[in-house]
Amino acid sequence: MVSNGPHRIVFANEKGGTGKSTTAVHCAIALAYQGARVAAIDLDSRQRTLHRYLENRAETQRRRDIALPTANFAVYAGDSVEELDALTTTMGADADFIVFDTPGRDDPLARHVATRADTLVTPLNDSFVDFDLIGQVDAETFKVRRLSFYAELIWEARKKRAMATIRDARREMDWVVVRNRTGYTEARNQRRIDQALTELSRRVGFRVASGLSERVIYRELFPSGLTLLDKGHLGELGTSHLVARQELRTLIAGLNLPTVATKGQLALEGVT
């Protein structure tokens, strides 16, 4: 793997409500459980979901007097690319990974970090409403008619990145489309989405990974900042929670992130 600073993982989707922040938090904590040094920057200065989640986690550690794997975190509320890059450099100085959570709208800073990602993660709900973010399909055949503006943006960024990979010692960008809430999709519609994603992935070059289902547990964990990985601090877990944890393990494995050699690496059941 080409190494030139922390591995940048950007969670980006111009549509809201896709589980982007939940996925970003659990990814950051999973990496921390593996012993990696993780930084996280929230670019949604209005919602601040990632930032608030990690604030809640810090407060739970203080209140319960416990130590939990976590991330160094900040929210960026400015509008300057240069200032954002400076913050990224500062926070990434002692990090193995830096995680960006972006707003669920078209945003220039989100586009900036997306085009510079080492791993770009685009969570999608399993519907053609969300699929429209990356491609348009024919109303009768459901064949992909054209790329969306967002897909073209990332396609161009990946082409430029490929040219710079050897010259500037840059990593290749790995674009992963994560399918969330698949269990709530009608079977025939899900097959159509399967076919459209497969077709578009061949044209654009992204990978498809399984994501997280819609589960109450994710909303319930937010006030405490805990995640499904904090096994000893969650109390009694039901069957649905165990299934959700397995979904998370599958998601983390599907992202195919670099491993970090650390001393005293923490055990992460089923993820390492």
Side-chain angles (χ1 to χ4, degrees):
M1 179 187 70
V2 178
S3 177
N4 59 326
H7 189 91
R8 297 186 180 199
I9 311 171
V10 178
F11 290 82
N13 187 322
E14 294 180 0
K15 294 181 181 292
T18 61
K20 177 168 52 61
S21 298
T22 299
T23 308
V25 166
H26 277 77
C27 177
I29 299 305
L31 291 168
Y33 261 107
Q34 293 178 23
R37 300 167 299 172
V38 184
I41 298 178
D42 194 336
L43 296 184
D44 192 343
S45 59
R46 185 173 181 178
Q47 295 290 337
R48 300 184 178 216
T49 304
L50 175 70
H51 189 265
R52 289 286 298 120
Y53 205 121
L54 293 172
E55 275 189 333
N56 294 343
R57 188 174 183 82
E59 176 57 31
T60 293
Q61 292 188 80
R62 289 191 292 268
R63 186 175 64 253
R64 297 189 185 183
D65 192 24
I66 57 176
L68 296 170
T70 191
N72 180 26
F73 59 96
V75 60
Y76 180 69
D79 55 11
S80 165
V81 167
E82 291 75 20
E83 289 179 359
L84 173 57
D85 285 344
L87 176 63
T88 300
T89 299
T90 299
M91 295 193 66
D94 297 319
D96 301 305
F97 295 89
I98 184 161
V99 174
F100 295 86
D101 189 24
T102 64
R105 61 179 184 273
D106 183 20
D107 178 87
L109 295 179
R111 292 198 302 269
H112 174 71
V113 297
T115 58
R116 288 157 177 78
D118 298 309
T119 301
L120 175 64
V121 183
T122 302
L124 294 179
N125 293 331
D126 234 35
S127 76
F128 280 109
V129 174
D130 279 30
F131 184 89
D132 197 64
L133 171 76
I134 55 177
Q136 299 177 14
V137 297
D138 183 271
E140 299 296 333
T141 66
F142 294 94
K143 294 288 187 180
V144 177
R145 291 192 297 137
R146 64 174 64 93
L147 303 184
S148 70
F149 170 79
Y150 185 80
E152 289 178 347
L153 173 74
I154 302 305
W155 172 249
E156 290 299 324
R158 293 180 78 234
K159 286 198 297 184
K160 292 179 181 177
R161 182 68 164 268
M163 291 186 290
T165 296
I166 298 177
R167 183 184 68 243
D168 302 329
R170 296 288 304 277
R171 301 180 178 94
E172 293 185 6
M173 181 194 294
D174 184 19
W175 185 12
V176 187
V177 172
V178 171
R179 299 177 64 179
N180 284 340
R181 301 186 175 102
T182 54
Y184 287 78
T185 306
E186 185 268 332
R188 184 176 63 174
N189 190 55
Q190 188 168 349
R191 287 196 299 272
R192 289 170 173 169
I193 294 172
D194 287 342
Q195 294 168 0
L197 278 172
T198 299
E199 179 185 348
L200 194 57
S201 67
R202 291 169 180 164
R203 290 171 58 176
V204 183
F206 58 74
R207 297 189 295 110
V208 180
S210 299
L212 307 178
S213 299
E214 177 65 34
R215 298 183 187 276
V216 175
I217 184 63
Y218 295 118
R219 294 190 290 273
E220 291 179 339
L221 289 173
F222 175 79
S224 66
L226 295 176
T227 73
L228 287 168
L229 303 175
D230 303 309
K231 184 178 179 182
H233 305 282
L234 297 177
E236 192 71 22
L237 294 180
T239 302
S240 65
H241 298 164
L242 298 177
V243 172
R245 182 181 290 161
Q246 183 56 48
E247 288 177 350
L248 178 59
R249 293 169 179 164
T250 301
L251 166 62
I252 298 302
L255 294 182
N256 194 29
L257 298 170
T259 57
V260 177
T262 59
K263 294 181 179 179
Q265 184 171 349
L266 297 174
L268 181 57
E269 294 182 351
V271 176
T272 53

